[in-house]
Amino acid sequence: CNYVDVAVSGFPEAPGNWKCITHDLNRMICSWDATSSANRGLTYKICQFRAAAIKTPVSAVAGNDFECMLFFLVSFQALIPLTPQILNLSADFSTYTLYLTWNDSGSVFQHELDASWQIQILYKETMETVTLINYDSKLTGKDSILFWNWTSDIPLECTSYYVKIRCYINELYFTGRKEWSEWSPVRTPNSVMVFPQDKVVLVGSNVTFCCLYNEGKSVKFMKYGSESYPLLRLSKWSSAIKVQNVSASVPSGTNVWCSLVPDDVEGTVLFVGYAPDTPQNLNCETRTFITITCSWNPGRPTALYSKRRTKYILFESPKYMELPLKTTPTSKHACDFPVHANQKIYNFTLSASNPLGQAESSLLIDVNQRVHLETPDKFTVSTNSSTHAHLSWYIPGNFIKIRLLCQIEISNSNSERQLNVSMAGAENSNYRAWVDALHPYGTYTFRVRCSASEYFWKWSKWSEGKKLTTLEAPPARGPDIWRQRSPVGETVTVFWKPLLLSEANGIILSHEVVCYLRERMLKAHEVPVPLNSTEIKLGGNDCLISVIAKNRAGSSPPSRITSVDLPSDNVKTELAIATGNGIYISWHSDPNVTCGYTLKWCISSGSEPCNVDWEMFPSNAIDAVIKSALFQPGVRYNFSLYGCKHNGYQLLQNITGYMKELPPKVAPNFTVEETSSDSILVKWEDIPVEDCQGFLKGYILYFAKGEKGSSKTSFMEEGSPELTVKNITDLTKKSLRILGLQGKTSYRLDLRAYTVGGIGPSKDLYVVTKENSVGLIIAILIPVAVAVVLGVVTSILCYQKREWIKETFYPDIPNPENSKALQFQKNICEGNTALKTLEMNPCTPNSVEVVETRSTVLKIEDTEIISPVADSELPEDGSETGTGSHVVVSYCPPIIEEEISSPPIDEPVGSSQVIYIDIQSMYQPQVNPEEEPEINFVTTAGYKPQMQLPINAMKMESHSPTEEDLDKIAGYRPQANTNVWKLNSPDSPVSIQSNNENGSFGSPCSINSRQFLIPPKDYEDSPTPNNTGWSFTHFFQNKPND
Amino acid sequence: CDLRRKLVIVFPAGDSWGIFAFLCAALWNLPAIPALNSTDEVGAGQSIQKTYDLTRYLEHQLRTLASTYLNYLGPPFNEPDFNPPRMTRAEMVPSATVDFELWRSLNDNARLAANYRAYTHLLCYLRSMDGQVAKAELRKNLGHFCTSLQGLVVSIASVMSSLGYPLPSPLGSASPTWAQGPGATSPHNDFLKKMDDFWLLKELQTWLWRSAKDFNRLKKKVPPAALMLRLEMRGF
């Protein structure tokens, strides 16, 4: 019993609306209506009895004595499952389907139970029920997720949908009432969507995307890929973008997405691609007659992948067969189709399709004409002979119905041939072939390929190559032989040439040399390789020599030669012609030669004995070009020509030749045997044969004048004009006299030898011709005689004219004009520094009127003005270097200047005037008041300038152009000038003194001549002026001079 | 997706690092797996270190893979600031967004079990992703990563067994949505599938980051040197 304490007072009443419910069959939740508030302090005690015990549930009231009242209440128990919760509700708009997931809360119950679910679908704003579905499941005691879907009749986009769910547990043993759970809260499918969903469109299409969203949301932006597009408002809950001319999408598709506020993202994927291209180069062929393999090129890529990629279906009408696609390493696609036993003709159609379209290709084939065999496998080659080989290979497949054509390629190092073999087809069988005409001991590489014989379609690939060497066979022929008798004739050396690989038929092990005398074998020699000669003692008899080559397989036929040498007389040596790569030899035909000619030579290399070599020619041959890899250019080879006559060999001719002639290696050794004053005798030696490198054609002697050590370069390069060339073609000549030379002269001689190959190196020699004594004596005597005669004549003349000479060169009274003592240093006025005799000075101050002779001031001023020091100072002023003479104020009177040269005078005067005024005006304001009395004194002293310049004008700060013009007219103003000098350097003691003393100018000056009678010593010695005077430098330096 | 039964792993030709790391894990796991109930602590110290190394390697590998894969998905998934709200459907993948404090308060066993469960499911999901990729190269990389991740799952199982923890039971009764595996719930459109892939990579990254921390912590708790010492003492 459970107690429920309620404060009840007074009598209790039976509780009303008593109800017990359970959600999990484990706990019971009971509820009742409490009695009125009057019954306070009431305690409820609830006891549960088994249903069986309470057979008749009675509602009774116990005795009044107890404060407790017992009510038997009819158990009103109910099983009401918990309200289910929808986990997810989503909509697939393409299929009009709603997907619902919910948790069955199975873990609430301890054991398995049957559960029923009721799902209600409502639609429209008014929430009308579309359908009510019952769904049964089993609860397993664990939570599990249940799925359910529902497909609508009308597109889901058309209206709003709502879903709710409730549950009913059918527990058989539960005695109480079983009820449905509460309905779950209504759920709407997630309605934020972007349309169209996962659409596939053609490249270049225009697509409009719209974004639907729930109430309370708004679109921030919509993007196609990474690009934002302007939004088109469609309604309150939808926006759209338009994308024009879409390009092919990336493999995962182009994302179109819609960003919403508040934070949400929804999107779709657009797949843009192409419809499948018509399959190209559709080719069907069989390799095994078990399947037909069709392959094709897919053509243009569709840009669609995964489930949207192109699907190929190959069918053979009328039968339809969809075949799996084989992945091939190339971009080709392929699939296999089975070959039917009694079918020859196949009509294939290949269809390619993807969501954007489809394309087809067809092909009609006769399978027998489309046989492309597999590469022959297990290829083996074997032999047991020297000329044959057995080949075997395997080809998979059933070719019983056709014949096969196989091509066998046989190649060795220098040849290749192909052999076609036709054979009956078999099933998964080995095929065999037999190859003959092989060369003994030849190494061959074999490979094979096959095709159908009757209808050639394609060769299979070549099988792998197999190498085989055939067995050896006896050498095909005897070796080429030659013999050479010793000079005495006691022995004969037999030579043979090694057989070619193709003739040897194996590895030559030895040669057998046998000497027969009238069919009787005298001696036999077994000579192992690599020896190629042997010596046989003849013992006074000639014999027939036979040589046999032997290999493992046997012996060659014998080669025979007689040892007989016929005597020969008058054997000539002739020259062969070098052809550059061989030696051309010709000979005279000898009618007695019946069995051919043999040309023998010997090539020596270094210290080893020479290798005998020979070549045989038929009897009718008269010339030959001998070639050998051992021939070297510039080396002389000697050949011997033997004629084969019926009774022996006879030496017919010796031949010398070069393969290629080269210029001589060295210069001939030459010496000067004898010299005279006009000739030289030159002598030379022969060049050794090995240094000639060709047949000597002659010598060339160059000679010209030249000192030893002057130049080492050759004459030709120098291009000496006196070069003389002498060509000596007579080889027997060993000396040469050079005539017509000059005596006592050094000559350079240069001698070279030449062949057809060119001129050899030079060797030079210097030689001095002897003196010509007569010429020398004459050369000395003539000048001596001439000198004596001249001396005598001069002496006589001098004696006769002695008076005149004395007058001219040594007079008793010297001419003053030539006296240096009377020469003045300078022309003062013109500033000419050249020493001259005293001249009249053109400077005469004509405008100075002398009133009283006692005043020296003026003179001094004048003197000062024309001080040459001013001249010497001017160049120091850089700005006026060129016009120095112009700057110096000249006191040359205008009259005289005009006399000298009137036209150019204006310029210097004018310019001097201008500068004069400038300086004056510039310094006028600085006039020292102390100087004024002097000006007055000047005025009173009686010197009258041509124009009186007012003092006040001079004191002006700046003067106007009119005043300047005035100054120009004013001409010269010595007083003002004097003032300016003083003003220029007021501190200078000299300038202060100048007016009073002027003694420093020192020299007395004639008023008329205005020329210094004696140039002052100071002026000559020092360029420093006593007065700072007219110097531009001074203006700027402003430095007092002591 | 019971990984404990799948010890035969075919490794695709990939980078040598991957093969090396995987071989390390596999070699070490082969002797460890039969002794699942053994509580040898020397093995634990070693296996924790190796699991930690493998986790770091996977972190590194995932960085490359994620950038390639997100580029394959195209914008906005490859945009660095793309951070969509996680919606209910994203529960397709097990979330690593566990409160930090809550995570720390768990004991080692619980943490290891959570790791084990998470990677098991992430791996299942990753495998399903593999089949849908259109690019062969990317498919190869994904396959490679799956194999490495499988190595990690086996490693975690081994760590747990060597520490004497029971392996977590296969999907419990209270399994969340993602426990059903991909495709169990409503079909997605391609954009939502891409979104799931995006979240998967993000979760995987977080899980690997957290696992590295977990193993590091565990490593410090069970230092191999101390274990050796204890062993010696026991020997005496």
Side-chain angles (χ1 to χ4, degrees), chain A residues 90 197-198 252 255 257 308, chain B residues 72-73 75-76 186 189-190 194:
Chain A
S90 58
Q197 295 250 307
D198 308 340
S252 71
N255 302 322
W257 52 295
R308 290 163 210 88
Chain B
Y72 162 76
L73 295 182
S186 64
N189 67 30
D190 280 283
K194 283 185 177 189

Side-chain angles (χ1 to χ4, degrees), chain A residues 87-88 90 92 99 101 142-145 147 187 190 193 197-198 223 225-226 250-257 263-269 271 305-308, chain B residues 71-77 79 82-85 87-89 131-135 172-177 180 184-195:
Chain A
L87 282 178
N88 191 27
S90 58
D92 183 352
Y99 292 89
T101 53
K142 288 176 189 166
D143 276 356
S144 48
I145 310 293
F147 308 94
R187 186 82 179 250
N190 192 3
M193 297 296 264
Q197 295 250 307
D198 308 340
K223 281 187 177 182
S226 50
V250 293
S252 71
T254 308
N255 302 322
V256 188
W257 52 295
D263 208 16
D264 199 359
V265 168
E266 198 54 62
T268 185
V269 182
F271 299 90
Y305 302 88
S306 302
K307 60 185 181 190
R308 290 163 210 88
Chain B
N71 273 330
Y72 162 76
L73 295 182
F77 300 103
E79 287 167 6
F82 180 63
N83 190 21
M87 280 164 276
T88 44
R89 61 169 178 272
Q132 299 157 8
V133 177
K135 275 186 175 173
S173 53
S175 57
T177 321
Q180 305 296 319
T185 50
S186 64
H188 278 27
N189 67 30
D190 280 283
F191 190 81
L192 295 182
K193 269 184 212 144
K194 283 185 177 189
M195 191 73 100

